[in-house]
Amino acid sequence: MNVKRFPARGILLISCLFLLTACASQRAPQGTVNWKQKKVLVFTKNGKGFVHDNIPEAAAAFKKMGADHGFAVDVTDDASVFSESRLAQYDALVFTSTNNDVFDTDAQKVALMRYIQSGGGFMGVHSAIGTERKWDWFKRMIGGTFAWHAKYQQFRLVAVNPSHPSLKDVPKVWVREDECYFSKELYGGIHPILAHDVKSLRDVNDTVLTKNQGSFGNYYPAAWYQYFDGGFVWFTSLGHHKRDYTDPVFVNHLYQGLHWLVGQTARRNPSKAYATSPETPVDYQR
C-alpha cells in the first residue's frame, strides 16, 4: 500500500517544487546587472542654440555613479566616437542635456542607428529630447521632440507605472523644482512611468498650456521607456538645474533608469543592424 502511494507523493512533491521554482523565478529581480563588466558613454555635445550649465555637474554625477557601483564611464562631446567599432564597447549611451544638431556626418548617425538595432541602450536626460529635431528616426527613438516648458518652478510628478523597475526608491508622488517639459511628435511606442501633474503648475498662460498638453489631460508624460528598432530607450525630462546632480533623490532616479537599461542590453547582436542611411525606414516586422 505504501509502495503504491509513493509514486503519487513523489509526483506531487516534484509538482510542488516546480511551482515553487516558477514562482520564485517570477519574483526574482529582473535585469540584475554585474556592473564591474559594464561600460557607459556619456555624450554632452550641443549644437547651435541654448546650452545648459548643468553639463559638467551631470558628467560628474555619472562618473561618481560609476565609481560607486563599479562600472566604467567615458565622457565626451566629440561626435567622432559614433562609429560601429567604438560604440560596440558600450552597454549604454547617455545623452545628458544635449541639444540641437550634434552629429557631424551621416555616418555617425548610421552608427547610432546600428548600435540601437543591435540591441543597444539609449538614455536621454532633460534637453536630450531637443536633440536632432529634424531627424525623424532620432525623434521616434527618444520618444518625441521638445516643444515648450513652463518656467522653472516647484510642481508635482506622479508615478503612473510605479511597479516599473526603474522607479525603485523614486517617490510615487514627487514634489520638486524643475522645468515641466512638453513635447511634440510624441511617439506611440513610449511607455510613461512618470507624469507631470499639470494642475500643480502656477503662473502659466492657459492658452499656451492647453495647446501644449494636447489630449493628455492633467497627466502629461515626464519620463518613459520604450523598445525601439531592436534597442532599449529610457528618457527623463527632469534635470534642469545643476544642483540636481548632487541631489540623492534625483541621482537615484538616473541610476535606476540606467540600471534598468543596462539590464536589457547584454545580448547585443551586431548582425541585426541594417541601417545604411539616416533615412533607412524602421523595419517594424523584424
Side-chain angles (χ1 to χ4, degrees), residues 262-282:
V262 172
Q264 313 302 308
T265 63
R267 297 181 180 179
R268 283 174 289 152
N269 183 351
S271 70
K272 293 186 176 181
Y274 61 90
T276 56
S277 155
E279 308 309 319
T280 299
V282 174

Side-chain angles (χ1 to χ4, degrees), residues 135-255:
W135 183 17
D136 286 342
W137 182 90
F138 188 92
K139 289 185 289 186
R140 280 182 280 168
M141 185 272 297
I142 197 169
T145 190
F146 174 76
W148 173 79
H149 67 73
K151 72 176 185 178
Y152 185 84
Q153 63 179 280
Q154 185 180 91
F155 62 95
R156 187 167 60 180
L157 298 115
V158 176
V160 293
N161 188 355
S163 64
H164 192 264
S166 70
L167 289 186
K168 184 177 186 295
D169 299 325
V170 174
K172 290 182 172 59
V173 176
W174 190 4
V175 178
R176 58 175 283 108
E177 287 185 302
D178 215 312
E179 289 178 336
C180 180
Y181 262 35
F182 294 85
S183 301
K184 56 187 177 181
E185 300 178 62
L186 280 174
Y187 182 62
I190 66 171
H191 301 274
I193 54 175
L194 282 175
H196 303 301
D197 180 353
V198 176
K199 288 182 180 177
S200 66
L201 294 171
R202 54 182 172 76
D203 299 329
V204 293
N205 181 293
D206 288 342
T207 301
V208 174
L209 184 60
T210 299
K211 174 184 175 183
N212 283 281
Q213 86 186 82
S215 61
F216 277 95
N218 186 56
Y219 297 100
Y220 192 92
W224 56 76
Y225 71 95
Q226 71 160 318
Y227 308 103
F228 179 79
D229 205 8
F232 308 91
V233 178
W234 189 92
F235 170 76
T236 180
S237 63
L238 305 175
H240 171 73
H241 204 286
K242 55 188 177 182
R243 67 170 169 259
D244 292 335
Y245 299 90
T246 54
D247 171 16
V249 179
F250 182 73
V251 171
N252 173 68
H253 174 50
L254 298 180
Y255 170 71

Side-chain angles (χ1 to χ4, degrees), residues 9 21 25 38 50 68 74 79 83 85 98 101 123 125 150 153 161 164 178 203 206 233 238 244-246 259 272 286:
R9 290 176 179 174
T21 302
S25 67
K38 303 302 180 182
F50 181 79
D68 289 346
D74 289 343
S83 70
S85 59
T98 55
D101 296 339
M123 179 175 178
V125 180
Q153 63 179 280
N161 188 355
H164 192 264
D178 215 312
D203 299 329
D206 288 342
V233 178
L238 305 175
D244 292 335
Y245 299 90
T246 54
H259 185 280
K272 293 186 176 181
R286 286 204 303 156

Side-chain angles (χ1 to χ4, degrees), residues 111-122:
L112 172 61
M113 295 171 76
R114 293 179 66 86
Y115 172 82
I116 294 296
Q117 290 164 356
S118 72
F122 177 95

